[in-house]
Amino acid sequence: MIYARAVAGTRFVFDGLADLMAKASPLRSGDVLAGLAATSAQQNIAARMVLADTPLSTFLSEALVPYERDEVTRLILDTHDAAAFAPVAGLTVGGFRDWLLSEAATPAVLARLAPGLTPEMAAAVSKIMRNQDLILAASKCQLTTRFRNTIGLPGTMAVRLQPNHPTDDPAGITASMLDGLMYGCGDAVIGINPASDNLSILGDLMRLMDDLIQRFEIPTQSCVLTHVTSAIELVERGAPVDLVFQSIAGTQAANASFGVTLSLLQEGLDAGRSLKRGTIGDNVMYFETGQGSALSAGAHHGVDQQTLEARAYGVARAFEPLLVNSVVGFIGPEYLYDGKQIIRAGLEDHFCGKLLGAPLGVDVCYTNHAEADQDDMDTLLTLLATAGVTFIMGVPGADDVMLNYQSTSFHDALYVRELLGKTRAPEFEAWLARLRITGPDGRLAPASAGHPLLTARA
Amino acid sequence: MNRPPSNVPPDPWSALRAHTPARIALGRSGASLPTQEVLAFALAHAQARDAVHTSFEAQAVGEAIASLGLETLQVASAAPDRATYLRRPDLGRRLLETSRDALKLQTRGPADLVIVVADGLSSTAVHTHAAPLIAALLPQVHQQGWCLGPVVIARQARVALGDEVGEIFGARLVLLLVGERPGLSSPDSLGAYLTFAPRVGLTDEARNCVSNIRTEGLSYEQAAFKLVWLAREALRLGESGVALKDESDTAQLAPPRPALSPQP
């Protein structure tokens, strides 16, 4: 189908819905790389105008990635809940934006709507929303998940403690874990990106974290961020697997480049749940996503990267994850070139994920070959915190010495708590108070060398 | 680095710093970072930014490798300069046409292993570590009786460029050494990617990676051991990547790891 509009004396023509979506996207290097981006500022806005007049229901009849060739499309359309969709079924994309920002769109209403929305609908409306719209609408989406604590309650923001070490050295990882815990971080998960993919080392890392969690009765969960097949193998070998991790993307072919299929993810979910290690819930999956991953794998089907990212959340929500995060600035400047593009994408990802019913955190981050710095990260972190981001990363000093990029630090999390009064998962908050890591006001208490966590032999 | 006196009290666990290059026990000014840490971080970022843009001394790297008794060839990717390289990874994955033609003239009988040295995102890493790692690999490669093709030095190159080089040589395996994205604390980290039956169009799932090869990370000997183990297994299985799990440590006695175990 052809979409067209005359704007200010010029007729703009868009070659189908995918082209319209791509041309309507705020500028980013990845869409330019793919040859999909608008070629003028006016074409960009004309596309948004046409998109705003497009009925939401169009996305149910016109697949951007072919149904026959893509199991993600089949998942999205086959599991679409028409009854949940009914309240907005008659709206255009533009009308949907107005509705999202209205008083009618309460947290309860939005939660019921989520299974009725497809990722493409979420992506479409995000393209005509300004940053403040993305923040406000996302702040109304609430979703709680549970394993050993409760993630996502209103007014909370959790932190993944990320104690990576360049050679997976247990002493080095333990040092960073203690640092993070003493800074009050680690309620989302203690999650290691291993340098190795060696199964016996991965098992050792799981036991290292599990020992600490058990010994100090920390109400949190651990995860080694390795391939789902490794986690399944480790479950079979009797390793203490709390969360099963996998990087996922928005097309079948991009997932294939990660070595996964939907049925393999289901196997991972079943393996994780079989251990019954969650004490208050069985959300056992942890997914990471990022704009540009499909293009990077040559698997984008001519669809813009932000729409494909929303489809990754469509994959994620099917497996009832505890945590999902976009690694927004990690994929590289060929997809998000600078601080402005990273900030915009971080807000889009968070909004789309939350709207679709995924417990979205964001790895607020950048690499050293991107045109970005700490000031940009401060901006994005502050915006996401006001938008109610489920969790962020906690990396010592914001410098990940294994993955070689900059994320958010334990101090950054404290800054958000100080500024906005965000609290931790309640079970973890109570544990910190019990161990006198925090004082009565929730702030860090002065630390003493004799603290039980620190009576480790150096 | 000597730290000037500060009115920010140190964290009582600063001794743990001995165990990790991570920025732990930084202290705090209220909830925030102390001034000296803010500035130290900014300096490290400035150094990493500069590392990305250091130019690649391909001739010097080639000479160092040639001095190990190996034949070397110089090629370039289709990305003409650094600015294009950063925005167009597709160009960095393919050979420049003249380089492709030149390599085709150099093919002879099929090789078991072709090594490609690519600048990637840190020329500094390649300048420092490529030749010593190859030196550590050579005795084990000879021991396995593998036929080694010429070492190809590639400018403005990304990982997948190795697939095209390997395909041209009809190699059973390609090993690509590449400058990894510089981190704040590691501007000179080398990565190594091993691919069985390399051909244009493969993706990351088909490769095995050994990363963080540098003085403070994985040693040349450890990296060489892992890579030869992976290469042997890839040849045995007839594939590399997700299906090939690194269990090289069961093949040798792992070095003792210092344990740091907190007591309740």
Side-chain angles (χ1 to χ4, degrees):
Chain A
M1 181 174 168
I2 295 292
Y3 295 82
R5 168 74 58 103
V7 174
T10 304
R11 185 174 151 79
F12 292 95
V13 180
F14 304 98
D15 184 16
L17 193 55
D19 185 48
L20 179 67
M21 291 278 273
K23 297 290 191 289
S25 296
L27 179 70
R28 65 207 62 202
S29 51
D31 291 340
V32 175
L33 175 63
L36 300 171
T39 50
S40 76
Q42 287 189 81
Q43 185 193 38
N44 182 217
I45 302 307
R48 287 185 208 180
M49 290 173 163
V50 176
L51 185 59
D53 290 346
T54 303
L56 274 186
S57 57
T58 308
F59 293 99
L60 296 175
S61 55
E62 203 173 325
L64 298 181
V65 180
Y67 182 91
E68 299 72 21
R69 288 169 53 201
D70 188 280
E71 65 172 359
V72 176
T73 302
R74 293 196 289 276
L75 170 74
I76 291 165
L77 293 177
D78 294 351
T79 61
H80 179 254
D81 183 337
F85 180 56
V88 298
L91 298 180
T92 59
V93 172
F96 186 42
R97 174 190 169 277
D98 291 329
W99 181 85
L100 281 171
L101 298 171
S102 75
E103 293 87 349
T106 63
V109 167
L110 288 168
R112 284 196 296 275
L113 177 66
L117 294 177
T118 66
E120 288 83 354
M121 295 174 191
V125 73
S126 78
K127 292 177 193 302
I128 60 163
M129 292 168 82
R130 286 188 17 209
N131 285 2
Q132 66 163 272
D133 303 339
L134 298 172
I135 292 168
L136 184 61
S139 76
K140 298 197 280 184
C141 299
Q142 290 165 7
L143 176 70
T144 52
T145 57
R146 291 175 179 84
F147 189 79
R148 290 197 192 103
N149 58 20
T150 312
I151 306 288
L153 289 170
T156 66
M157 182 187 78
V159 177
R160 167 186 162 194
L161 204 175
Q162 184 169 313
N164 298 343
H165 186 277
T167 58
D168 297 329
D169 178 68
I173 285 171
T174 301
S176 288
M177 283 198 289
L178 295 177
D179 192 57
L181 291 169
M182 292 301 290
Y183 272 87
C185 295
D187 49 349
V189 61
I190 303 177
I192 300 171
N193 297 90
S196 170
D197 56 7
N198 177 302
L199 285 172
S200 96
I201 290 177
L202 300 179
D204 288 345
L205 293 176
M206 287 174 177
R207 281 181 285 275
L208 179 73
M209 291 186 286
D210 191 49
D211 286 349
L212 188 72
I213 288 171
Q214 303 266 355
R215 184 172 300 163
F216 291 97
E217 299 177 333
I218 310 173
T220 191
Q221 37 280 331
S222 71
C223 185
V224 173
L225 284 75
T226 185
H227 196 266
V228 63
T229 53
S230 295
I232 292 170
E233 176 69 26
L234 284 159
V235 167
E236 285 166 8
R237 293 187 186 189
V241 180
D242 283 352
L243 302 188
V244 175
F245 172 82
Q246 183 56 47
S247 293
I248 55 170
T251 68
Q252 178 177 336
N255 283 326
S257 84
F258 288 140
V260 297
T261 59
L262 298 179
S263 67
L264 183 59
L265 295 177
Q266 184 64 45
E267 281 178 48
L269 173 63
D270 294 343
R273 283 188 171 162
S274 73
L275 297 181
K276 299 186 177 359
R277 292 176 58 82
T279 50
I280 64 166
D282 66 351
N283 299 116
V284 300
M285 299 301 287
Y286 175 13
F287 293 118
E288 278 190 347
T289 65
Q291 290 191 26
S293 56
L295 176 58
S296 171
H300 64 291
H301 296 272
V303 176
D304 71 90
Q305 67 183 33
Q306 189 261 333
T307 300
L308 295 180
E309 174 70 4
R311 284 167 54 99
Y313 309 140
V315 173
R317 68 177 173 177
F319 299 94
E320 300 176 8
L322 183 78
L323 306 165
V324 180
N325 71 263
S326 158
V327 294
V328 63
F330 184 77
I331 316 277
E334 60 269 39
Y335 307 104
L336 296 168
Y337 186 67
D338 57 14
K340 180 178 173 68
Q341 294 184 7
I342 292 170
I343 289 165
R344 171 73 196 180
L347 295 174
E348 291 166 345
D349 292 352
H350 177 247
F351 163 77
C352 287
K354 284 288 177 67
L355 190 64
L356 292 168
L360 216 53
V362 177
D363 190 347
V364 174
C365 66
Y366 65 106
T367 60
N368 286 316
H369 59 317
E371 294 295 323
D373 61 19
Q374 291 305 103
D375 291 335
D376 298 308
M377 299 304 106
D378 290 345
T379 304
L380 179 55
L381 171 64
T382 308
L383 296 177
L384 283 168
T386 61
V389 70
T390 302
F391 67 103
I392 59 168
M393 307 301 129
V395 177
D399 171 12
D400 190 306
V401 295
M402 203 295 277
L403 292 173
N404 292 343
Y405 77 120
Q406 285 88 256
S407 181
T408 44
S409 66
F410 308 138
H411 293 75
D412 289 329
L414 292 177
Y415 147 77
V416 167
R417 303 198 191 291
E418 189 73 21
L419 181 73
L420 300 171
K422 297 278 181 184
T423 58
R424 304 163 180 94
E427 301 86 349
F428 190 82
E429 194 81 70
W431 176 81
L432 289 173
R434 198 162 65 243
L435 264 74
R436 301 187 195 287
I437 292 172
T438 53
D441 61 358
R443 288 192 171 112
L444 292 188
S448 83
H451 191 278
L453 274 181
L454 297 177
T455 51
R457 206 190 55 74
Chain B
M1 191 168 72
N2 287 326
R3 290 160 190 274
S6 158
N7 53 4
V8 177
D11 288 326
W13 58 94
S14 43
L16 294 180
R17 281 207 196 118
H19 297 284
T20 177
R23 291 168 196 258
I24 64 168
L26 299 182
R28 55 193 177 88
S29 305
S32 305
L33 279 176
T35 302
Q36 66 186 21
E37 295 298 342
V38 170
L39 294 175
F41 187 101
L43 176 61
H45 183 231
Q47 289 168 334
R49 295 283 295 149
D50 288 346
V52 171
H53 297 279
T54 297
S55 62
F56 184 35
E57 291 166 23
Q59 287 302 334
V61 170
E63 283 161 21
I65 293 168
S67 75
L68 300 170
L70 296 173
E71 184 187 350
T72 63
L73 299 168
Q74 299 278 345
V75 299
S77 82
D81 52 47
R82 207 63 176 162
T84 311
Y85 175 84
L86 289 175
R87 283 188 175 85
R88 292 290 306 272
D90 53 325
L91 298 181
R93 294 185 190 119
R94 296 303 304 265
L95 287 165
L96 188 65
E97 200 174 337
T98 51
S99 287
R100 187 180 307 134
D101 294 343
L103 281 190
K104 283 178 178 166
L105 294 174
Q106 298 290 335
T107 55
R108 51 217 87 165
D112 292 314
L113 176 67
V114 165
I115 298 175
V116 180
V117 176
D119 49 357
L121 284 167
S122 172
S123 300
T124 314
V126 177
H127 295 159
T128 314
H129 304 307
L133 176 60
I134 291 172
L137 276 165
L138 276 182
Q140 299 185 59
V141 168
H142 293 320
Q143 200 178 7
Q144 297 292 331
W146 291 332
C147 167
L148 188 62
V151 176
V152 177
I153 320 287
R155 181 184 289 277
Q156 307 290 10
R158 290 183 187 259
V159 172
L161 183 124
D163 295 340
E164 187 173 11
V165 173
E167 185 172 20
I168 288 171
F169 282 98
R172 297 172 73 197
L173 285 169
V174 67
L175 173 65
L176 179 126
L177 310 180
V178 63
E180 294 183 325
R181 188 167 61 191
L184 284 196
S185 307
S186 55
D188 66 338
S189 182
L190 193 75
Y193 290 81
L194 190 75
T195 312
F196 180 81
R199 58 203 178 277
V200 171
L202 291 180
T203 52
D204 286 346
E205 99 226 296
R207 304 183 227 288
N208 289 87
C209 173
V210 173
S211 67
N212 194 42
I213 303 164
R214 63 191 179 100
T215 314
E216 301 80 6
L218 201 63
S219 72
Y220 304 136
E221 288 69 27
Q222 288 170 312
F225 182 87
K226 272 182 182 295
L227 288 167
V228 170
W229 187 92
L230 285 167
R232 225 175 44 221
E233 285 299 296
L235 291 172
R236 187 177 68 79
L237 292 170
E239 60 184 324
S240 58
V242 173
L244 168 54
K245 303 290 185 204
D246 176 10
E247 303 207 54
S248 59
D249 70 325
T250 55
Q252 68 173 357
L253 284 176
R257 290 159 163 275
L260 177 73
S261 89
Q263 303 298 324

